[in-house]
Amino acid sequence: MKKTHLVFIVYLLTVASTSMAQKHFRIETKNNILLLSTDSENALVSDYFGKRIADISEYPAISALDKFKPGSDDLYNKREAYVASGSTNLLEPALSITHADGNKSTVLAFSEVQERQLDANRKLTTITLKDPKYDFQIALNYLSYFNEDVVEQWAEILHHEKGNITLNKYASACLTLTGKKFFLKNQYSSAMREMRSEEQQLLHGMRTLDSKLGTRNNLLHSSSFMVSLNGPSTEDTGEVIAGSLEWSGNFKLDFETFDDYFLRITAGINNFSSNYTLKPSERFVTPRFVYTYSQNGKAMASRNLHNWARRYQLADGGGDRSTLLNNWETTYFDFNDEKLNELVQDTKKLGVDVFLLDDGWFGNKYPRNGASSGLGDWDFNKQKLKNGIAGIGKEATDKGIKFGIWLEPEMVNPKSELYEQHPDWIIRQPERKEFYMRNQLVLDLTNKKVQDFIFHVVDETFKQVPDLAFIKWDCNSLIYNAHSPTLKNQDHFYIEYVRGLNSVLERIRKKYPKTPMMLCAGGGSRVDYAALKYFTEFWPSDNTNPYDRIFIQWEYSYYFPALAVDNHVTDMGKQSMKFKTDVAMMGKLGYDVRVNELSKNELLFSQDAIKNYNRFKTTVWHGDQYRLQDPYENDVASLCYVNQAKDEAVVFNYFMATRNATKQAIPIKMKGLDPSIRYRITETNIFPGTKSPIDSTKSYSGDFLMNVGFNPEVNDRRTSVVLLISAVK
């Protein structure tokens, strides 16, 4: 026998022997698998995350193929699935603890696994790890969604030591990925400039995205991201991990490359100023981290998250949505019964479902006639509304219109009765100067009395307007001088604030489960899947200039379905009413315009556009999304939605060129259609007095439209074009 053959046989026997000693755990979805195993020291390690292979018996061989072998000069000694600090791993940990005796070292060894098939689509795998020295354990939970190719991961920490322990860091998850190169796509923001995109190669060291703001947690950085493996990905090519942390407070996302071929993503609550004291037998549960893997580019990763969100996470994700007319940009704070009654009539005339009364309807001792007073005093203003919000609600109902209202119950103006009566309900440092954002402070939601007050505000609103059909929930201030007058352990403040908020929202949803609620935070500063468990939709930005909104809405589409994104037609921007409307239809349509100032043709167009939207909105809200041409590198941005039956698609096209281009010169290739079906293409939302160049009598196969494409005839005079693609019956 040749020596090389003998060596190979010994290698196989070694692999087999190692495999027998190992335990293997498969977190599987329809197309993907996260493979975990125990090593020779009984540590839980990550072997593989990617596309499933057909023969499951081959999975045990994966760990032996890893090029990494620990040596004497390594900063770490294994690819642990959840990294603890103080022992042999010297890179960024997921878990850092000070034990009851002061020791800061933790070792996690496999103890047991439990698997529960929750239903035909969901399986929960719980792997418990214990410290051999301390009576300490952590349960790693992996909830897999088979058809959506999505995994939610979180940790539950429990101990029975002789005294309290301190959690210094307590991530929800850490993923170790392999690849030759890694590219991070993330979004950063400021007020009116939300979700600005950047993509960069992750070189050596640490890249951290985080929030220390307390509220409005996504104001600077988004808690959602994408990572491309081995090279930059495109919409339809390349390996992509898309992830999002389900937490409405301070977050931390660490991306650490090491040993040239590895990336570790650690996601969880930001441990900034948040050492958490855990009593014996007390259980600490981290927020969930949701993620997906796509072998077919960013678009598939987006669709995976969208499908998961609509079915499992977004409030009423499978349901309908209401179009609305908001009074804010029409009246601001200056209104009375007569003006509002006229707006109710305008709502009916326009043809939308809901009239939304925005800020300024409350406050008497300190009337809410501007942003500096009245916030916190939720009694209707008797000068503006002689019959109260009940009167406006009845007026709307009598006209066949639903009624909605704006609330900002987490906040208070220093110029308010609430501030005077309950100074102990306000977040602020004692004996330090108060600092205001938008003339307001944040109420202390760690305080049960404050939680009761906020629930009472909502409950009392429903008592006055039993048929209340919509709530816009705002949150405009960050938390400065973080301190609770009543919380015993200030290290728990940031966590207890979010727990208090969630407690209030749970109570509201228990009593009022069906009422649509918009999540707003000075624009799009609180957009995460934990909050969207309670809210049907969110407000992406106070910037409603439609040109800017194309970019903002485009970036949100990487993580959130169109059903959840509120887009309003407003007076902001100099574009035409048609362009503004076509952009707003790329999600959930609404209006914030002076209906009485619209020209005859603008009003006629808007009324027809709403009827058109009502015919195809289900495809936009519940269909599969395909980004066809991005607005950054193309003269025309194009995005489409295809329904599940593939017999209808809606394609939005927007002219983006600012120089040296006057038209879309070549066809745009469609995606997501059935190649065997023939389709007819019709332009909708045509402005009165204009004629479409699209010949709706012709038909094309899906194969033709996806491989050759179709030119929507967008140019500097036809700046937006909405196409309906319908199967020929």
Side-chain angles (χ1 to χ4, degrees), residues 683-701:
E683 183 175 355
T684 189
N685 284 9
I686 300 172
F687 199 81
T690 63
K691 184 178 179 180
S692 172
I694 306 300
D695 186 350
S696 61
T697 65
K698 292 183 178 180
S699 67
Y700 309 84
S701 69

Side-chain angles (χ1 to χ4, degrees), residues 277-538:
T277 302
L278 193 66
K279 300 174 183 177
S281 301
E282 181 184 358
R283 189 179 299 270
F284 184 91
V285 181
T286 72
R288 299 184 181 195
F289 173 58
V290 61
Y291 55 94
T292 185
Y293 166 83
S294 164
Q295 197 180 33
N296 298 305
K298 296 183 175 78
M300 180 60 74
S302 295
R303 288 192 291 274
N304 290 347
L305 289 178
H306 296 173
N307 291 334
W308 165 80
R310 284 191 296 256
R311 186 173 180 186
Y312 293 103
Q313 193 69 14
L314 178 65
D316 195 23
D320 203 357
R321 295 292 186 270
S322 299
T323 53
L324 57 85
L325 175 66
N326 190 359
N327 75 300
W328 178 244
E329 292 191 20
T330 301
T331 66
Y332 295 100
F333 295 100
D334 182 18
F335 56 81
N336 54 29
D337 286 309
E338 290 72 28
K339 284 186 179 181
L340 296 183
N341 290 340
E342 290 174 2
L343 289 174
V344 168
Q345 294 176 19
D346 287 342
T347 305
K348 182 73 171 179
K349 181 193 301 184
L350 191 60
V352 295
D353 305 312
V354 176
F355 170 66
L356 173 64
L357 175 58
D358 212 291
D359 194 359
W361 58 268
F362 50 89
N364 287 288
K365 180 179 179 181
Y366 301 103
R368 182 71 169 175
N369 294 323
S372 62
S373 65
L375 196 60
D377 302 341
W378 295 102
D379 295 323
F380 71 85
N381 183 281
K382 295 179 176 60
Q383 295 297 317
K384 294 180 180 181
L385 306 177
K386 293 181 173 56
N387 298 312
I389 56 174
I392 299 299
K394 184 178 185 302
E395 178 72 19
T397 302
D398 291 345
K399 292 289 190 299
I401 295 297
K402 299 176 183 177
F403 178 70
I405 202 162
W406 178 95
L407 295 171
E408 194 178 5
E410 296 171 68
M411 304 293 161
V412 62
N413 285 133
K415 194 174 181 180
S416 69
E417 293 183 77
L418 182 66
Y419 180 92
E420 294 173 345
Q421 295 168 5
H422 296 285
D424 57 325
W425 284 11
I426 298 168
I427 294 171
R428 54 186 172 182
Q429 287 283 352
E431 300 180 6
R432 293 193 186 277
K433 182 180 178 180
E434 292 179 352
F435 186 84
Y436 310 132
M437 186 176 200
R438 297 198 181 187
N439 306 296
Q440 60 195 48
L441 294 164
V442 184
L443 293 177
D444 181 12
L445 271 162
T446 73
N447 186 335
K448 183 65 166 57
K449 292 180 180 179
V450 175
Q451 296 171 29
D452 292 340
F453 167 77
I454 293 176
F455 175 78
H456 176 76
V457 168
V458 177
D459 198 37
E460 184 61 31
T461 304
F462 273 100
K463 289 178 182 178
Q464 295 180 62
V465 189
D467 295 327
L468 188 67
F470 195 90
I471 293 175
K472 178 181 177 182
W473 183 295
D474 216 338
C475 169
N476 280 307
S477 181
L478 306 178
I479 294 178
Y480 297 97
N481 293 322
H483 177 84
S484 165
T486 58
L487 191 64
K488 293 182 179 179
N489 188 338
Q490 296 298 322
D491 278 341
H492 292 193
F493 170 78
Y494 286 115
I495 294 173
E496 293 300 335
Y497 182 90
V498 179
R499 287 175 173 173
L501 172 64
N502 290 342
S503 177
V504 172
L505 293 172
E506 286 281 355
R507 291 172 65 185
I508 292 170
R509 276 310 184 197
K510 185 175 181 180
K511 189 167 184 179
Y512 307 103
K514 298 298 184 182
T515 305
M517 294 204 302
M518 177 203 292
L519 178 64
C520 182
S525 299
R526 184 191 269 168
V527 184
D528 64 88
Y529 273 121
L532 289 173
K533 176 182 176 183
Y534 308 105
F535 291 85
T536 51
E537 55 220 74
F538 67 88

